[in-house]
Amino acid sequence: MNEHIKPLLLDAYVEHALRPEQRVGVEQHLEACPDCRKRLAGHNRLMILAAHLPLEPTPLNLVNRVQLRLAQVKSKRWKELQQRRLGWASLGFALAGCALLGSAWQQVVRILTVLLNQFDNNLLTSIWQNLVNLLAENWPELAQTELNWQAQLAKDVDAVLLGGAIFLSLAAFAGLARVLLAAQGSLLMNNEE
Amino acid sequence: MTCSDEELVKRHLEGDEQSFNQLVERYTGRLYNLAYRFLLDQAEAEDIVQETFLHVYEALPHSQIDLPFRPWVTTITLNACRSALRKKRPLAFAEIAPEADEAETFVENIPAEGETPAEAMEAQELEIALRQAVSALPEEERMILTLRYNEDLSYEQIGELLHIPVPSVGTHLYRAKRRLYTTLVADQEAD
């Protein structure tokens, strides 16, 4: 290396940023070249000055403000989590209600039938039946309606159960919608952040 | 006993609330320094620090905890700074012009003997002068000087963080130091 060392190479040397083989080359040249040694001193002075570079003073309470904001975010996230859990729980209950109703449907009809048969055997029913017979003799149209009362009752029970099932399904959809909205809100918020 | 960053991260992930606060205490000053040097705006730099910690807090449970914390958090801060700056104006590190003759002879004009500006000034005076001088540097030089001398990063690490080739890091750093020296000597002479 007969030419003088380029300033950038010499600067990288004082910065300990050279590869070992480059470093050896520079050191060999420096031993033989007083001019480059003089320039090396200049580079060292530049480095010493730069090494005094201070950190910018941290603004007052910045640490506390960061910690406070983190606490607020944690609290918000916890509330969202609770809401989401509540949504899932309500959905679960609604679905469980529907499932129970569906599986108990035949049982409900059977219980009602037994109750109606017992009711038939009651004294009250006998009296009622006599009244119906009396009605049949005098007002045949009314009696015909009354003779179909058991079938009508079964239809009413059907309607009530169907209504219940619809209500629970709507509740399930509402729960699901709430969960989806909460999830979407959370997603939007994350994207904004 | 002082815990390592990675130990604090591990504890935080295990449910220790105080560990993350310790990381905040440990890194707020450094990250603020980085953000301020990048943006030269106190309010924006504070926002960046807050956003960085929020990002870290949210991302930690999904991150590889065996990665070193410091480079990761530095990268997040610099990315946030870049985004903030991009909103204000397009960011591009300037092409490096060929070295002028002045650069070749610059160090020869630095006296080998006598007091350096650093020695000639009182500590507080020097601190203020350096802060002013570094604020006046071009963006890329300011950042490289900060990453090198405040963050003790290698040329390779700086190049990776700022997406510039390693030789350019050396060039910018040398220029930054020259400007810093010139400014401080000029200040001294003016006094």
Side-chain angles (χ1 to χ4, degrees):
Chain A
M1 202 186 283
N2 296 323
E3 285 180 14
H4 288 312
I5 303 169
K6 292 280 179 196
L8 281 177
L9 194 63
L10 211 47
D11 203 62
Y13 174 76
V14 299
E15 292 282 350
H16 299 279
L18 292 181
R19 291 192 302 274
E21 65 273 16
Q22 286 179 305
R23 194 169 181 81
V24 170
V26 168
E27 280 169 356
Q28 282 172 350
H29 179 90
L30 283 172
E31 274 177 29
C33 181
D35 283 348
C36 283
R37 279 205 299 275
K38 189 187 166 203
R39 286 165 57 225
L40 178 70
H43 281 281
N44 272 323
R45 288 195 152 206
L46 286 182
M47 191 189 67
I48 289 166
L49 178 66
H52 281 84
L53 184 68
L55 290 174
E56 293 295 326
T58 310
L60 195 67
N61 292 333
L62 182 58
V63 173
N64 293 342
R65 277 181 279 147
V66 171
Q67 288 174 339
L68 184 69
R69 181 139 180 230
L70 277 169
Q72 286 168 343
V73 168
K74 278 185 222 173
S75 160
K76 197 176 166 190
R77 294 279 180 279
W78 189 81
K79 279 180 191 164
E80 280 173 4
L81 184 70
Q82 293 304 102
Q83 259 191 342
R84 218 170 296 150
R85 281 180 182 162
L86 189 69
W88 283 114
S90 62
L91 176 65
F93 280 125
L95 289 174
C98 285
L100 273 174
L101 192 68
S103 65
W105 165 255
Q106 287 184 338
Q107 195 64 29
V108 169
V109 171
R110 199 176 302 134
I111 289 167
L112 282 174
T113 312
V114 171
L115 283 174
L116 288 174
N117 286 339
Q118 280 182 354
F119 189 62
D120 277 350
N121 296 330
N122 276 346
L123 176 64
L124 197 65
T125 313
S126 308
I127 295 165
W128 179 252
Q129 198 59 50
N130 288 333
L131 280 171
V132 170
N133 291 340
L134 194 64
L135 274 174
E137 287 169 12
N138 296 297
W139 298 281
E141 286 174 9
L142 271 177
Q144 186 56 40
T145 311
E146 198 57 39
L147 284 173
N148 292 332
W149 71 278
Q150 279 189 11
Q152 187 60 45
L153 184 61
K155 279 184 188 170
D156 289 345
V157 169
D158 271 350
V160 168
L161 289 174
L162 185 65
I166 289 169
F167 175 77
L168 286 171
S169 301
L170 285 174
F173 278 120
L176 186 63
R178 187 177 168 182
V179 168
L180 287 175
L181 283 173
Q184 191 193 20
S186 163
L187 195 70
L188 283 174
M189 200 161 55
N190 285 342
N191 285 344
E192 277 169 17
E193 280 170 8
Chain B
M1 196 182 76
T2 313
C3 284
S4 70
D5 297 340
E6 289 69 31
E7 181 64 29
L8 287 173
V9 167
K10 198 176 157 204
R11 284 189 194 176
H12 162 68
L13 292 174
E14 285 167 358
D16 178 11
E17 290 286 324
Q18 280 310 307
S19 297
F20 199 81
N21 283 339
Q22 281 185 53
L23 285 170
V24 171
E25 283 167 20
R26 193 175 285 183
Y27 277 96
T28 296
R30 282 190 171 284
L31 299 187
Y32 173 78
N33 180 59
L34 266 183
Y36 181 83
R37 289 273 166 77
F38 208 117
L39 302 165
L40 293 180
D41 183 306
Q42 182 178 331
E44 272 190 303
E46 288 182 23
D47 283 346
I48 294 286
V49 174
Q50 297 205 3
E51 290 306 318
T52 300
F53 279 114
L54 285 180
H55 183 106
V56 169
Y57 183 81
E58 300 274 341
L60 265 181
H62 319 289
S63 306
Q64 281 181 277
I65 55 168
D66 52 341
L67 288 176
F69 182 76
R70 190 170 163 186
W72 183 53
V73 83
T74 305
T75 307
I76 293 171
T77 309
L78 289 180
N79 287 342
C81 289
R82 265 193 214 100
S83 302
L85 211 56
R86 218 176 288 133
K87 283 177 193 165
K88 291 202 289 193
R89 62 182 167 80
L91 171 71
F93 277 99
E95 285 292 314
I96 298 168
E99 279 287 280
D101 292 342
E102 172 261 330
E104 292 282 340
T105 56
F106 184 85
V107 285
E108 290 168 14
N109 299 325
I110 298 175
E113 303 293 322
E115 285 184 321
T116 62
E119 289 160 349
M121 290 177 172
E122 294 287 328
Q124 203 179 353
E125 190 191 356
L126 176 67
E127 201 173 300
I128 293 167
L130 275 171
R131 244 188 248 133
Q132 283 172 348
V134 84
S135 295
L137 290 177
E139 192 173 281
E140 58 271 33
E141 292 178 11
R142 198 169 66 232
M143 283 318 295
I144 288 171
L145 202 67
T146 302
L147 291 169
R148 180 68 178 167
Y149 284 98
N150 289 151
E151 294 296 313
D152 299 320
L153 298 183
S154 68
Y155 282 26
E156 287 76 15
Q157 287 170 317
I158 295 171
E160 207 173 305
L161 277 171
L162 298 179
H163 310 304
I164 54 173
V166 173
S168 300
V169 174
T171 311
H172 281 305
L173 187 64
Y174 179 45
R175 284 185 182 180
K177 287 190 290 187
R178 271 171 19 215
R179 281 191 221 268
L180 214 58
Y181 184 89
T182 310
T183 309
L184 261 74
V185 168
D187 280 356
Q188 263 186 310
E189 284 171 0
D191 291 342

